[in-house]
Amino acid sequence: ASYLRFLTRNFQESFKMYGMEVRLAVKKSAENPYHDKEKINRGGMGLGGREARKKRMITELKSHGKPPKKGTRRRMQRARGRYS
């Protein structure tokens, strides 16, 4: 949804159609090369997201019985020198 919003605003700016409604018709393609590919397990540092946060929360609850503190992961990475 946010990408479609970006496209419509970009079209409005590119063609100088300010104030005019831009409608995009989007359809699913049967020839999507990425549709059935399995997700690649990167190991270590992944992209994160809602599913990764949920998985980390569950493993922390199973191991320690309490949810992790917010921001702990970033602080640990900053201490190791990954963030400056």
Side-chain angles (χ1 to χ4, degrees):
S2 61
Y3 182 64
L4 292 177
R5 199 174 314 123
F6 163 76
L7 286 177
T8 56
R9 289 180 182 162
N10 195 9
F11 285 136
Q12 284 176 339
E13 290 177 9
S14 298
F15 297 113
K16 297 182 176 120
M17 298 188 305
Y18 302 107
M20 295 183 72
E21 183 179 2
V22 176
R23 293 183 186 177
L24 298 176
V26 182
K27 64 179 186 175
K28 277 192 173 181
S29 172
E31 300 174 17
N32 185 352
Y34 302 105
H35 179 68
D36 289 331
K37 289 199 174 190
E38 295 179 17
K39 292 184 178 180
I40 299 170
N41 185 6
R42 297 174 182 247
M45 299 283 293
L47 292 177
R50 181 181 293 163
E51 292 177 15
R53 284 194 303 272
K54 188 175 179 181
K55 188 176 178 181
R56 285 194 302 269
M57 175 75 79
I58 291 171
T59 55
E60 189 72 21
L61 283 170
K62 285 181 180 178
S63 62
H64 294 97
K66 59 182 179 179
K69 295 179 184 175
K70 291 194 174 196
T72 306
R73 185 174 178 197
R74 173 139 311 161
R75 279 194 298 266
M76 288 170 47
Q77 290 173 349
R78 195 174 288 143
R80 291 183 194 148
R82 293 194 179 163
Y83 290 107
S84 27

